[in-house]
């Protein structure tokens, strides 16, 4: 799943670069096609980026749990308790976003 999401993010960035090229901007059809593809990936890429940011927060909090400073360890545990459910919810949302459009419509 994450390999596919990374490929989507890479493609999203490529399309963004294409949209900035003068030859694409001057070709109405090419610009429209790249713009639509870019827009179609936007929601998944935004959610994937949010997932990666929260996953990094979870990893950081887990690393801080081993701190000898009890106050820092307590703060890390509190942060982990807040971030872990968000991470799981985003992962579930990403799984649904990756379903083919017809299957997503029947799940709603």
């Amino acid at each position: 799943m994450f390999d596919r999401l990374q490929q989507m993010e890479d493609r999203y960035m490529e399309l963004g670069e294409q949209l900035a090229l003068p030859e694409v901007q001057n070709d109405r059809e090419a610009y429209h096609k790249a713009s639509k593809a870019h827009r179609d990936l936007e929601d998944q890429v935004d959610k994937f980026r949010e997932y990666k940011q929260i996953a990094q927060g979870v990893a950081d909090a887990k690393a801080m749990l081993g701190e000898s400073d009890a106050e820092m360890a307590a703060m890390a545990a509190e942060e982990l308790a807040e971030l872990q459910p968000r991470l799981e919810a985003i992962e579930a949302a990403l799984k649904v976003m990756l379903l083919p459009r017809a299957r997503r419509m029947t799940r709603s």
Side-chain angles (χ1 to χ4, degrees):
M1 173 173 98
F2 295 108
D3 288 340
R4 183 168 174 212
L5 287 164
Q6 186 59 57
Q7 290 171 351
M8 292 170 82
E9 182 179 30
D10 293 345
R11 179 68 179 142
Y12 180 81
M13 291 179 357
E14 287 172 15
L15 288 165
E17 291 171 5
Q18 283 181 14
L19 289 169
L21 296 173
E23 58 268 20
V24 174
Q25 291 177 356
N26 294 330
D27 182 342
R28 186 175 174 187
E29 186 177 329
Y31 185 83
H32 177 73
K33 184 177 178 181
S35 179
K36 181 182 180 330
H38 189 261
R39 199 172 42 251
D40 288 346
L41 293 171
E42 191 168 22
D43 289 341
Q44 293 94 331
V45 170
D46 286 346
K47 190 62 77 174
F48 180 51
R49 289 176 174 171
E50 182 181 1
Y51 177 88
K52 289 192 303 186
Q53 182 179 8
I54 293 173
Q56 183 61 52
V58 167
D60 293 346
K62 284 181 178 180
M64 289 175 48
L65 283 175
E67 290 284 325
S68 58
D69 182 356
E71 189 173 317
M72 288 294 285
M75 284 176 39
E78 186 177 311
E79 185 171 348
L80 187 59
E82 177 186 317
L83 292 177
Q84 193 65 46
R86 287 179 56 200
L87 187 67
E88 292 167 5
I90 291 172
E91 187 173 346
L94 283 168
K95 287 178 182 178
V96 171
M97 291 175 113
L98 291 175
L99 289 174
R101 189 168 191 81
R103 289 190 60 200
R104 268 190 288 170
M105 295 177 112
T106 60
R107 290 185 135 225
S108 298

